[in-house]
Amino acid sequence: MAQQHEAGNGAPTLDQARRQLSRYGLSADPQAVLVAARLMAAGSRLGQAGEAHFARFGLSTGRYRLLAELEDHGGEKSPSQLAAALGVSRATVTGLVDGLERDGLVARRPSTEDGRGNVVVLTARGARRLREMAPEHFERMQTMVGGLSVEERTVFLDLLARLVEGMSALTDD
């Protein structure tokens, strides 16, 4: 069996999971509960670290993701396409676009396909921001997972995909 690492920094422990389950008289698997609790704690910490990381470049995680989505798809998309691709609401996209537009990183223009709607377009300034930040951004991303071998990263990607599939257990009615 693989060694189970205890995460410091206030992360939940197996003993805590056992105590909580026992306290409530539940028969859930303490290790399963621990994995879920650690994943949630790691997600929170990763979100905070991501925001600090993107702030170096004058962006938020959401703004970066929107710019990268535009860049990856020919430089323009409708707000509804952006919302679907980013997994956020149209209102969230509107807020992100408003800020990016103020900074000159994107622009709105009428859609050539749908005269009633607009598309969001990556500006030259936005493309330049992505290009300028790329070396440091991708180096930091690589360093973050540098403690894992290629094989471990492959397994991790598979495990992560399976965990993401299971996340609906937290939101399903």
Side-chain angles (χ1 to χ4, degrees):
M1 183 169 157
Q3 179 182 4
Q4 293 184 21
H5 296 281
E6 290 297 321
N9 303 320
T13 66
L14 190 54
D15 285 340
Q16 285 174 312
R18 284 186 183 120
R19 282 194 307 272
Q20 287 178 339
L21 291 169
S22 175
R23 181 179 310 124
Y24 300 120
L26 301 174
S27 62
D29 177 356
Q31 186 189 45
V33 170
L34 177 63
V35 168
R38 289 260 183 101
L39 182 61
M40 291 171 75
S44 177
R45 291 185 63 205
L46 181 58
Q48 292 168 353
E51 290 302 330
H53 168 68
F54 288 114
R56 287 184 182 91
F57 307 106
L59 297 171
S60 66
T61 302
R63 286 181 178 191
Y64 171 78
R65 289 184 62 220
L66 191 145
L67 291 174
E69 182 66 24
L70 288 174
E71 184 180 55
D72 287 346
H73 292 90
E76 78 175 51
K77 271 191 158 184
S78 72
S80 59
Q81 290 171 324
L82 286 167
L86 300 175
V88 298
S89 69
R90 281 283 308 270
T92 297
V93 166
T94 298
L96 293 171
V97 170
D98 287 348
L100 289 166
E101 192 172 40
R102 274 192 304 273
D103 293 344
L105 303 178
V106 301
R108 289 179 171 99
R109 70 168 177 74
S111 171
T112 56
E113 295 175 11
D114 176 7
R116 298 170 296 160
N118 287 321
V119 291
V120 180
V121 180
L122 182 66
T123 63
R125 184 175 182 180
R128 189 169 49 253
R129 172 79 55 93
L130 289 171
R131 190 172 47 255
E132 288 170 352
M133 70 182 281
E136 181 178 350
H137 169 63
F138 290 110
E139 179 63 30
R140 286 176 181 270
M141 298 280 281
Q142 180 175 309
T143 300
M144 183 176 80
V145 299
L148 302 176
S149 69
V150 171
E151 295 79 17
E152 288 169 329
R153 292 192 309 255
T154 301
V155 169
F156 183 77
L157 287 170
D158 177 61
L159 295 172
L160 188 58
R162 291 167 28 201
L163 288 167
V164 168
E165 285 177 21
M167 282 184 195
S168 63
L170 295 176
T171 58
D172 288 348
D173 289 336

